[in-house]
Amino acid sequence: MSGHSKWANTKHRKGAQDAKRGKMFTKLAKEIAVAARMGGGDPEANPRLRAGIVSARAVNMPKDNIDRAIKKGVGGLEGANYEEITYEGYGPGGVAVLVDCLTDNRNRTVGEVRFFFGKSGGNLGETGCVSYMFDKKGSILVEKGAIDEEKLLELALEAGAEDMVDDGEIFQVVTAIEDFNAVREALEKAGVAFVEASLTMIPKNTVEVAEEKTAVSLMKLLDNLEDFDDVQKVHANFDIPDELMEKIS
């Protein structure tokens, strides 16, 4: 799971920068709108919408922004209709990469994603070329200091979580898809503040990237993808040694 959790930790650090906050709000608003369009505007009856709102609140997204995105999703406001697409490919060092997108222009999105892969020395592949290397799981990120580690582990396991990963500045609680909502709700009731709560793709195995040049190219690819407005989430199966990750971060 190190590939996912290390990238999640890297994104958490980036998210603390004001320059990134606007992009985070844009991505979350799109996710909330799509969730509302697909499952309705009531978060209590729409788990995906509820998870989107939780993630939005975790980064202090204004309530007006959240409400506007819900209205847009259920038809109360005009806006683009987005489709969900996942692209797959290989980055530097043979690292498998999944790119989840929400787009109103498929041609624009695939062109940009292909460009980023090529620029890094990687390549965009066919559907199914790397997705089999990942399992879909629930992921709840909790910032260290928000709760005692043993207490969080106890709460998570009692609620049905599969595992908890300690990775630097965050804890990642991992659940089966069917247990995600129950675990998230249990932690909410216990007053645990989340950095993010969402369904994600976690690698079954990881690829070690120990060469600095390769690691820099890989992180640049992931960074470029994350910064692209059409991209919602990026998943990769890398394992970069902690000391090297610290150096290039």
Coordinates of all heavy atoms in Angstrom, one line a residue, residues 2 40 50 69 81 83 92-93 147 153 157-158 166 170-171 180 196 222 230 239 243 248-249:
S2 N 2.2 1.1 0.0 CA 3.0 2.3 0.2 C 2.9 3.2 -0.9 O 3.0 4.4 -0.7 CB 4.5 1.8 0.4 OG 4.9 1.1 -0.8
G40 N -28.8 11.9 -6.5 CA -29.7 12.8 -5.8 C -28.9 13.7 -4.8 O -27.8 13.5 -4.5
R50 N -22.1 12.2 0.2 CA -21.7 12.4 1.6 C -20.2 12.4 1.7 O -19.6 13.2 2.3 CB -22.3 11.3 2.4 CG -21.9 11.3 3.9 CD -22.3 12.6 4.6 NE -21.9 12.6 6.0 CZ -21.9 13.6 6.7 NH1 -22.2 14.8 6.2 NH2 -21.5 13.6 8.0
A69 N -22.6 23.4 -5.9 CA -22.2 22.2 -6.6 C -23.4 21.2 -6.6 O -23.7 20.5 -7.6 CB -21.0 21.6 -6.1
N81 N -22.0 19.1 -18.3 CA -22.3 17.7 -17.9 C -21.0 16.9 -18.0 O -20.4 16.9 -19.1 CB -23.4 17.1 -18.7 CG -24.7 17.6 -18.4 OD1 -25.0 17.8 -17.2 ND2 -25.6 17.8 -19.4
E83 N -18.5 13.5 -17.8 CA -18.4 12.1 -17.9 C -17.2 11.6 -17.2 O -16.2 12.3 -17.1 CB -18.5 11.6 -19.3 CG -17.3 12.0 -20.2 CD -17.3 11.3 -21.5 OE1 -17.7 10.1 -21.6 OE2 -17.0 12.0 -22.5
P92 N 7.6 6.5 -15.5 CA 9.0 6.2 -15.3 C 9.2 5.1 -14.3 O 8.5 5.0 -13.3 CB 9.6 7.5 -14.8 CG 8.7 8.6 -15.2 CD 7.3 8.0 -15.2
G93 N 10.2 4.2 -14.7 CA 10.5 3.1 -13.8 C 9.5 1.9 -13.9 O 9.5 1.0 -13.1
I147 N -5.8 12.6 16.6 CA -6.3 11.5 17.5 C -5.1 10.6 17.8 O -4.2 10.5 17.0 CB -7.5 10.7 16.9 CG1 -8.0 9.7 17.9 CG2 -7.0 10.1 15.6 CD1 -9.3 9.0 17.4
L153 N -6.9 3.3 15.7 CA -6.9 1.9 15.2 C -8.0 1.1 15.9 O -8.7 0.4 15.2 CB -5.5 1.3 15.6 CG -5.3 -0.2 15.2 CD1 -5.5 -0.3 13.7 CD2 -4.0 -0.7 15.7
L157 N -10.9 -0.5 13.6 CA -11.1 -2.0 13.5 C -12.5 -2.4 14.0 O -13.1 -3.3 13.5 CB -10.0 -2.7 14.2 CG -8.6 -2.5 13.6 CD1 -7.5 -3.2 14.5 CD2 -8.5 -3.0 12.2
E158 N -12.9 -1.8 15.1 CA -14.2 -2.1 15.6 C -15.3 -1.8 14.7 O -16.4 -2.5 14.6 CB -14.5 -1.4 16.9 CG -13.7 -1.9 18.1 CD -14.0 -1.1 19.4 OE1 -14.8 -0.1 19.4 OE2 -13.5 -1.6 20.5
D166 N 0.5 3.9 8.8 CA 1.2 5.1 9.3 C 2.1 5.5 8.2 O 3.1 4.8 7.9 CB 1.9 4.7 10.6 CG 2.6 5.9 11.2 OD1 2.8 6.9 10.5 OD2 3.1 5.7 12.4
I170 N 0.3 11.5 8.1 CA -1.1 11.0 8.1 C -1.2 9.5 8.4 O -0.3 8.8 8.3 CB -1.8 11.2 6.7 CG1 -1.0 10.4 5.6 CG2 -1.9 12.7 6.3 CD1 -1.7 10.4 4.3
F171 N -2.4 9.2 8.9 CA -2.8 7.8 9.0 C -3.8 7.5 7.9 O -4.7 8.4 7.6 CB -3.5 7.5 10.4 CG -2.6 7.7 11.6 CD1 -2.9 8.6 12.5 CD2 -1.5 6.9 11.7 CE1 -2.1 8.8 13.6 CE2 -0.7 7.0 12.9 CZ -1.0 8.0 13.8
F180 N -17.0 0.8 3.9 CA -16.5 2.2 3.9 C -17.4 3.1 4.6 O -17.0 3.9 5.5 CB -16.3 2.7 2.4 CG -16.0 4.1 2.3 CD1 -14.8 4.6 2.8 CD2 -16.9 5.0 1.7 CE1 -14.5 6.0 2.7 CE2 -16.6 6.4 1.6 CZ -15.4 6.9 2.1
E196 N -9.4 13.4 4.2 CA -10.1 13.0 3.0 C -10.8 11.6 3.3 O -10.3 10.8 4.1 CB -9.1 12.8 1.8 CG -9.8 12.3 0.5 CD -8.7 12.1 -0.6 OE1 -8.4 13.1 -1.3 OE2 -8.2 11.0 -0.7
L222 N 3.2 12.6 -11.9 CA 2.0 12.6 -11.0 C 1.6 14.0 -10.6 O 0.4 14.3 -10.5 CB 2.4 11.8 -9.7 CG 2.8 10.4 -9.9 CD1 3.1 9.7 -8.6 CD2 1.7 9.6 -10.7
D230 N -9.0 18.5 -15.3 CA -9.9 17.3 -15.7 C -9.6 16.1 -14.8 O -10.4 15.1 -14.9 CB -9.7 17.0 -17.2 CG -10.3 18.0 -18.1 OD1 -10.9 19.0 -17.6 OD2 -10.1 17.9 -19.3
D239 N 7.1 2.6 -4.9 CA 7.6 2.6 -3.6 C 9.0 3.3 -3.6 O 9.9 2.7 -4.0 CB 7.7 1.1 -3.1 CG 8.2 1.1 -1.6 OD1 8.4 2.1 -1.0 OD2 8.5 0.0 -1.1
E243 N 13.9 8.2 2.6 CA 14.9 9.3 2.5 C 15.0 10.0 1.2 O 15.2 11.2 1.0 CB 16.3 8.7 2.9 CG 16.9 7.6 2.0 CD 16.4 6.2 2.4 OE1 15.4 6.1 3.2 OE2 16.9 5.2 1.9
I248 N 13.4 14.6 -2.5 CA 12.8 15.2 -3.8 C 11.5 15.9 -3.5 O 11.0 16.6 -4.4 CB 12.6 14.1 -4.8 CG1 11.5 13.1 -4.3 CG2 13.8 13.4 -5.2 CD1 11.1 12.1 -5.4
S249 N 11.0 15.8 -2.3 CA 9.8 16.6 -1.9 C 10.1 18.0 -1.6 O 9.2 18.8 -1.5 CB 9.0 15.9 -0.8 OG 8.6 14.6 -1.2

